[in-house]
Amino acid sequence: MAVLVTGGAGYIGSHTVAALAERGEEIVVIDNLEQGHRDAVISGKLYVGDLRDESFVEGVFKENNIDAVIHFAANSLVGESMTNPGKYYHNNVYGTLCLLEAMNKHGVKSIVFSSTAATYGEPENVPINESDRTVPTNAYGETKLAMEKMMKWFDTAHGIRYVSLRYFNAAGAHESGRIGEDHTPETHLVPIVLQAALGKRSHISVFGDDYATEDGTCVRDYIHVSDLADAHLLAVDRLRRGEASAIYNLGSGQGFSVKQVIDIARAVTEREIPVVLEQRRSGDPAVLIASSEKARTELGWKPKRDKMEDIIRSAWQWHLSKPEGYGDR
Ligand code: UFG
């Protein structure tokens, strides 16, 4: 039986493909390569196409003996989702509907879903629990929440069980050095800081230092991408055991401010990283920290690479060896 990974050429998708390969799973990847990279798919059979293309998806399900799906394929830029929400509803929500319809048609009953801390919006508690209120402050988070809810109703009606994994801030790169983070445009803090260390950017802009945090900059919960990947395999195992649908936060439970991240990156890289203070970025909550107790207890998930220095070092090794990323943009 094969695991279908949609968006398997993307950052977290490609690390999950690598983890599936390491334990000998048969892997089928669908990616439209709008954001993903062909070279990021280091194992499995890659089908280049779009989930909204019914006959394409039909072909993939017919040609392969798929028993579980891990669904990453989506647009994920918060800023873009605010200026072009239609794109997010069309690709993320409608794309998921097409996938679920195909799964239902072909009797595939298990899906692991790539969700996000953005489903919570401004947190009511720190750390955030899965039962806390979900009021997204951006269209990206709203579409991810809509996708989760769609899966709930497909479970009720058709018995397609899901595990939704709400990630906090993914960072780092695979230990092999073969895959890592390469977004165009890049908006995430860690790669931008490291690009500044490499001299590929003149500086890192710090978006606001007047938040109600210790040093005034935003605090986030950073988690190594390979630890996220491991959680997807545990979620597949849970569904294969026939257990019920569930939602889990994935984070380290530790918060680091923007300034702390920059300082750690300076220590790891031993390079200068010039900083320019800018206005707050709209929609940024001051503090986002996960409680991942539920994932630890129910999935048996335990992040292995939980030192921030090590996370940044693994990202730095990737940036040093591949300063142009995959070089396909
Ligand atoms: N930041 C800067 N300068 C930059 C980039 C980021 O100061 O050049 C700051 C941001 O303001 C934020 C922190 O660094 O405070 C982290 O920003 P990222 O863009 O790396 O990550 P976010 O926390 O904004 O985004 C993450 C996920 C999204 C998800 C979001 C939920 O990457 O997918 O959390 O809020 F939607």
Side-chain angles (χ1 to χ4, degrees):
M1 301 296 267
V3 179
L4 169 63
V5 184
T6 76
Y11 174 43
I12 305 170
S14 61
H15 285 77
T16 301
V17 166
L20 286 165
E22 281 155 26
R23 75 169 194 188
E25 297 268 1
E26 192 185 330
I27 303 157
V28 175
V29 173
I30 290 180
D31 202 298
N32 66 8
L33 299 183
E34 182 193 316
Q35 296 288 329
H37 309 275
R38 192 179 284 277
D39 289 347
V41 184
I42 61 174
S43 189
K45 205 185 322 174
L46 170 64
Y47 289 85
V48 178
D50 197 292
L51 289 177
R52 294 164 290 184
D53 178 344
E54 196 182 325
S55 62
F56 162 73
V57 173
E58 179 67 17
V60 176
F61 274 87
K62 271 198 183 138
E63 277 175 34
N64 298 282
N65 196 6
I66 294 163
D67 79 320
V69 175
I70 308 181
H71 180 34
F72 294 97
N75 290 111
S76 62
L77 296 175
V78 171
E80 183 188 54
S81 80
M82 298 302 277
T83 54
N84 192 359
K87 177 175 177 181
Y88 281 68
Y89 276 88
H90 204 270
N91 188 26
N92 296 5
V93 179
Y94 177 56
T96 299
L97 175 60
C98 295
L99 174 64
L100 288 170
E101 296 282 23
M103 288 175 64
N104 191 33
K105 185 170 171 192
H106 292 273
V108 181
K109 299 289 188 189
S110 299
I111 180 166
V112 177
F113 176 57
S114 162
S115 190
T116 169
T119 53
Y120 294 107
E122 197 65 52
E124 57 177 329
N125 297 307
V126 177
I128 301 172
N129 284 301
E130 289 83 352
S131 55
D132 288 354
R133 70 162 181 237
T134 46
V135 187
T137 52
N138 55 63
Y140 163 67
E142 193 75 73
T143 60
K144 286 277 174 168
L145 192 58
M147 293 148 88
E148 281 188 357
K149 289 184 175 168
M150 197 191 299
M151 287 186 287
K152 179 183 121 184
W153 295 115
F154 271 72
D155 184 1
T156 305
H158 306 299
I160 297 178
R161 287 168 301 111
Y162 66 94
V163 170
S164 181
L165 301 174
R166 292 177 176 165
Y167 327 137
F168 283 64
N169 290 61
H174 195 261
E175 60 187 7
S176 67
R178 290 181 67 190
I179 53 176
E181 186 165 13
D182 177 8
H183 295 113
T184 306
E186 189 53 80
T187 62
H188 295 109
L189 180 67
V190 171
I192 292 179
V193 167
L194 296 178
Q195 286 169 358
L198 274 179
K200 293 182 64 67
R201 290 176 190 260
S202 58
H203 64 275
I204 170 76
S205 301
V206 170
F207 298 141
D209 70 348
D210 55 352
Y211 286 93
T213 60
E214 209 158 295
D215 65 20
T217 63
C218 289
V219 170
R220 293 289 181 274
D221 179 336
Y222 295 88
I223 183 84
H224 195 285
V225 64
S226 293
D227 283 325
L228 287 185
D230 289 345
H232 292 76
L233 274 59
L234 293 168
V236 167
D237 295 342
R238 175 185 168 91
L239 293 170
R240 282 181 174 159
R241 286 195 300 270
E243 291 178 36
S245 295
I247 297 176
Y248 299 107
N249 287 340
L250 298 179
S252 67
Q254 278 183 295
F256 288 87
S257 73
V258 172
K259 280 187 179 164
Q260 285 175 317
V261 170
I262 296 167
D263 284 341
I264 295 168
R266 285 181 173 135
V268 166
T269 62
E270 299 177 343
R271 306 258 180 122
E272 272 181 46
I273 303 178
V275 165
V276 173
L277 181 61
E278 290 194 23
Q279 294 296 309
R280 288 181 175 198
R281 191 171 67 176
S282 89
D284 273 344
V287 179
L288 285 176
I289 299 175
S291 164
S292 303
E293 281 314 306
K294 195 177 165 203
R296 289 169 195 256
T297 314
E298 294 186 15
L299 287 179
W301 180 64
K302 195 174 178 308
K304 294 192 202 92
R305 306 134 183 113
D306 57 356
K307 285 207 186 65
M308 193 57 188
E309 287 76 9
D310 295 343
I311 294 175
I312 293 188
R313 190 169 294 111
S314 85
W316 178 235
Q317 274 153 7
W318 159 256
H319 283 276
L320 272 181
S321 68
K322 296 260 176 52
E324 305 303 326
Y326 293 98
D328 56 358
R329 290 286 189 275

